[in-house]
């Protein structure tokens, strides 16, 4: 049996080793150090003396096939056909000779790609689908991200901060973005419960699945109407039921808006990974530029720049000055929604990614 060729299937992704640039494959696991050369370029140096120069550019996250083809053409021309995407939706082009960096950067700039995001800066904003695709979105993603990044892009391309600042956007509390663990994050929120169309529940929806979709057990059967009903004091307006049952729409142009949470991180450096916490309960949608939201984000960022010590993340800065100090420095109003009355055992969960053997 061992002599038989390995069967090829389409189950799962191909192994990543097939796509590594030759210089990375050659020196895999044998890198000595890396240095940040400027906001958009860094170099990794291997034990063998080989070097890999990485050029990072922001992407629009929701990509057209034309954009992807353009990335591929640039990679074919300068990088031997190799590129990669980071977890923050930056695209990185890697070359093995410093002489190849300048032509690569020049071509990216000629095509108006924004280069930067390396080191203690704002990275590309990770976000969800928004109005362009998602049926349960309480706000847009691409438009909101564009408006924010236009105002803070200098901290991506040039200016340094005390540490990296990760910004994220999720269009509803189902949160298929990284808002729970980002320095500054925006979450679309619904303020009204789903509207039940009893006449269509029996035609469009499977009642057991609809009931099971609710994370707070707020939905129960309504036999008299051959439908379902919602216990309002349990509903958290997430819209997850609408994903299962199209007869329960939740979007509300008047009452949908945006909340802002801060202080999250994934890194284990200095302290454990941290969940974000609420600082602005609700800001109304005001497309296409969302001025109230961008002003709030800049207020947080400017307060962090003015008060944080070197190497402090946003959450670490807040821990040092206290939440009273944060609200004083930013000028945000403290409201009843800031009082954490969550009843589950979040504080006792082990949230660290570090292994501790006992």
């Amino acid at each position: 049996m061992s002599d038989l060729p390995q069967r090829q299937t389409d189950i799962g992704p191909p192994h990543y080793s097939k796509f590594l640039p030759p210089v990375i494959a050659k020196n895999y696991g044998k890198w000595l150090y890396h240095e940040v050369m400027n906001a958009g370029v860094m170099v990794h140096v291997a034990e063998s003396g080989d070097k890999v120069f990485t050029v990072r550019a922001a992407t629009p996250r929701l990509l057209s096939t034309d954009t992807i083809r353009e990335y591929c053409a640039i990679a074919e021309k300068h990088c031997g056909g190799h590129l990669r995407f980071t977890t923050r939706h930056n695209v990185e082009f890697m070359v093995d000779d410093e002489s190849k960096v300048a032509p690569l950067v020049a071509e990216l700039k000629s095509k108006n790609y924004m280069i930067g995001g390396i080191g203690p800066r704002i990275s590309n904003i990770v976000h969800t689908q928004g109005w362009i695709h998602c049926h349960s979105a309480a706000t847009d993603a691409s438009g909101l991200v564009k408006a924010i990044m236009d105002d803070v892009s200098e901290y991506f391309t040039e200016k340094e901060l005390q540490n990296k600042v990760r910004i994220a956007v999720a269009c509803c509390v189902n949160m298929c973005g990284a808002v729970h663990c980002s320095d500054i994050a925006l979450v679309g929120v619904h303020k009204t419960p789903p509207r039940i169309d009893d006449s269509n529940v029996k035609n469009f929806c499977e009642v057991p699945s609809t009931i099971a979709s609710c994370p707070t057990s707020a939905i129960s059967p309504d036999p008299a109407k051959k439908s379902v009903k919602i216990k309002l004091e349990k509903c958290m307006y997430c819209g997850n039921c609408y994903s299962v049952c199209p007869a329960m729409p939740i979007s509300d142009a008047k009452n949908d808006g945006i909340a802002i949470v801060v202080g999250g991180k994934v890194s284990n450096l200095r302290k454990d990974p941290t969940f974000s916490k609420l600082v602005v309960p609700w800001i109304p949608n005001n497309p296409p530029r969302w001025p109230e939201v961008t002003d709030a984000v800049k207020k947080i960022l400017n307060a962090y720049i003015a008060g944080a010590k070197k190497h402090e993340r946003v959450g670490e800065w807040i821990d040092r000055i206290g939440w009273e100090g944060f609200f004083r420095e930013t000028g945000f109003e403290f409201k009843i929604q800031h009082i954490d009355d969550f009843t589950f055992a979040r504080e006792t969960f082990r949230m660290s990614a570090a292994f501790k053997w006992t």
Side-chain angles (χ1 to χ4, degrees):
M1 293 291 291
S2 60
D3 295 332
L4 293 177
Q6 180 67 36
R7 184 167 69 94
Q8 296 294 314
T9 75
D10 60 355
I11 299 174
H15 198 272
Y16 67 88
S17 61
K18 296 180 179 180
F19 305 101
L20 295 176
V23 65
I24 293 180
K26 173 187 172 184
N27 297 282
Y28 194 82
K30 300 177 181 178
W31 300 95
L32 290 176
Y33 63 92
H34 74 275
E35 293 180 348
V36 176
M37 300 176 67
N38 57 53
V41 181
M42 60 181 168
V43 58
H44 288 77
V45 181
E47 295 173 358
S48 64
D50 291 339
K51 296 181 180 181
V52 172
F53 297 87
T54 300
V55 178
R56 178 181 293 181
T59 78
R61 168 61 170 84
L62 298 182
L63 298 173
S64 68
T65 53
D66 287 343
T67 303
I68 294 172
R69 289 182 185 277
E70 192 165 68
Y71 289 158
C72 293
I74 293 171
E76 287 284 356
K77 180 178 178 180
H78 297 276
C79 315
H82 294 93
L83 59 80
R84 80 179 195 104
F85 287 90
T86 72
T87 56
R88 291 277 161 175
H89 309 306
N90 302 286
V91 60
E92 292 187 343
F93 301 91
M94 294 156 287
V95 296
D96 57 6
D97 192 305
E98 189 171 3
S99 64
K100 299 178 181 179
V101 173
L104 172 58
V105 169
E107 178 153 358
L108 287 168
K109 287 184 175 180
S110 72
K111 297 181 183 298
N112 295 320
Y113 289 115
M114 193 164 64
I115 298 172
I118 296 176
R121 295 176 174 86
I122 289 175
S123 188
N124 203 34
I125 300 178
V126 63
H127 67 84
T128 54
Q129 303 299 315
W131 291 332
I132 197 171
H133 176 73
C134 184
H135 53 270
S136 61
T139 189
D140 193 23
S142 300
L144 186 55
V145 167
K146 167 67 173 169
I148 295 171
M149 205 59 172
D150 281 351
D151 281 1
V152 300
S153 60
E154 61 187 338
Y155 295 104
F156 180 90
T157 59
E158 183 181 353
K159 291 185 178 180
E160 289 191 2
L161 300 165
Q162 285 87 336
N163 203 331
K164 63 182 72 173
V165 172
R166 302 296 190 236
I167 303 178
V169 174
C171 305
C172 70
V173 296
N174 287 302
M175 202 176 63
C176 54
V179 299
H180 63 293
C181 57
S182 294
D183 296 281
I184 303 172
L186 299 91
V187 190
V189 289
H190 301 288
K191 296 207 306 182
T192 54
R195 302 176 296 280
I196 302 173
D197 182 356
D198 293 315
S199 62
N200 277 318
V201 167
K202 59 179 177 292
N203 298 324
F204 294 163
C205 312
E206 186 183 62
V207 170
S209 298
T210 303
I211 293 171
S213 71
C214 181
T216 58
S217 302
I219 302 175
S220 58
D222 188 348
K225 298 180 180 178
K226 296 182 178 180
S227 182
V228 294
K229 55 187 176 182
I230 297 174
K231 193 171 185 178
L232 294 181
E233 57 267 32
K234 285 188 171 184
C235 180
M236 63 178 187
Y237 316 139
C238 69
N240 196 48
C241 53
Y242 182 52
S243 300
V244 179
C245 179
M248 298 177 67
I250 191 171
S251 295
D252 183 337
K254 182 179 179 180
N255 291 297
D256 288 349
I258 298 158
I260 300 179
V261 294
V262 302
K265 74 183 187 82
V266 178
S267 167
N268 281 297
L269 189 62
R270 290 180 299 278
K271 60 179 293 188
D272 288 347
T274 310
F275 284 133
S276 307
K277 292 188 177 181
L278 181 72
V279 295
V280 180
W282 189 79
I283 301 174
N285 280 314
N286 189 8
R289 299 299 298 180
W290 283 270
E292 298 86 355
V293 177
T294 56
D295 286 348
V297 170
K298 288 189 291 184
K299 192 177 292 185
I300 296 168
L301 187 63
N302 289 336
Y304 166 74
I305 293 169
K309 295 180 178 179
K310 189 172 178 60
H311 302 305
E312 278 186 330
R313 295 286 293 269
V314 171
E316 294 167 334
W317 162 62
I318 295 172
D319 285 345
R320 179 170 57 81
I321 68 173
W323 282 101
E324 296 90 345
F326 172 83
F327 280 98
R328 182 175 60 251
E329 294 299 321
T330 57
F332 293 135
E333 181 184 355
F334 187 88
K335 299 183 177 181
I336 190 172
Q337 290 89 347
H338 290 110
I339 299 173
D340 190 354
D341 60 354
F342 192 62
T343 57
F344 296 152
R346 181 179 68 194
E347 296 302 325
T348 63
F349 289 152
R350 179 183 169 195
M351 295 181 290
S352 173
F355 286 98
K356 296 181 180 179
W357 304 101
T358 58

